[in-house]
Amino acid sequence: MVNLIVNRDESTRIKIDLDTEGYRKRRTEILENLAKKAVEQVKRTGKPFRFDPMPSKERKIIHMLMKEESGVETFSEGEGNFRKVVLKPKGI
């Protein structure tokens, strides 16, 4: 809503990112913990793990975290609001 108000003039664009009461930091921490548990499960079972659908910013966080993790890889599947991250063992 704020972006629409601020960017009424199409000649200049300003990107505004709001973080109310540290929500983004808390959400990132939650995603990190969820990703750690998912990695453990994938390594233990050898089966892919599908996260619940999430916004693109959150999917990007998962993908970036998993780049540093050996033995697993990620990709996204689905369409629109139902797009989710899949974590799987490398080579499968």
Side-chain angles (χ1 to χ4, degrees):
M1 178 89 55
V2 173
N3 279 318
L4 291 173
I5 294 169
V6 170
N7 291 309
R8 285 184 187 168
D9 179 16
E10 293 183 14
S11 65
T12 59
R13 288 276 189 216
I14 300 171
K15 184 177 178 189
I16 296 177
D17 220 6
L18 295 177
D19 185 9
T20 305
E21 296 182 1
Y23 172 81
R24 290 192 193 278
K25 182 180 178 188
R26 286 192 320 272
R27 185 64 183 157
T28 299
E29 290 171 357
I30 290 169
L31 290 172
E32 287 173 353
N33 290 331
L34 181 60
K36 287 176 187 175
K37 290 178 184 177
V39 166
E40 290 173 12
Q41 180 177 336
V42 168
K43 287 182 176 180
R44 186 178 69 249
T45 66
K47 296 180 181 179
F49 178 89
R50 285 173 172 76
F51 291 87
D52 290 334
M54 60 183 72
S56 62
K57 285 185 179 185
E58 292 182 1
R59 288 194 312 271
K60 183 176 180 179
I61 291 169
I62 299 290
H63 287 301
M64 297 302 289
L65 288 169
M66 294 301 103
K67 278 187 174 185
E68 300 171 9
E69 191 66 45
S70 64
V72 296
E73 58 189 358
T74 62
F75 63 93
S76 292
E77 69 178 14
E79 298 291 324
N81 292 335
F82 300 103
R83 197 151 172 84
K84 60 182 95 174
V85 174
V86 179
L87 179 65
K88 68 174 193 159
K90 275 193 179 169
I92 290 184

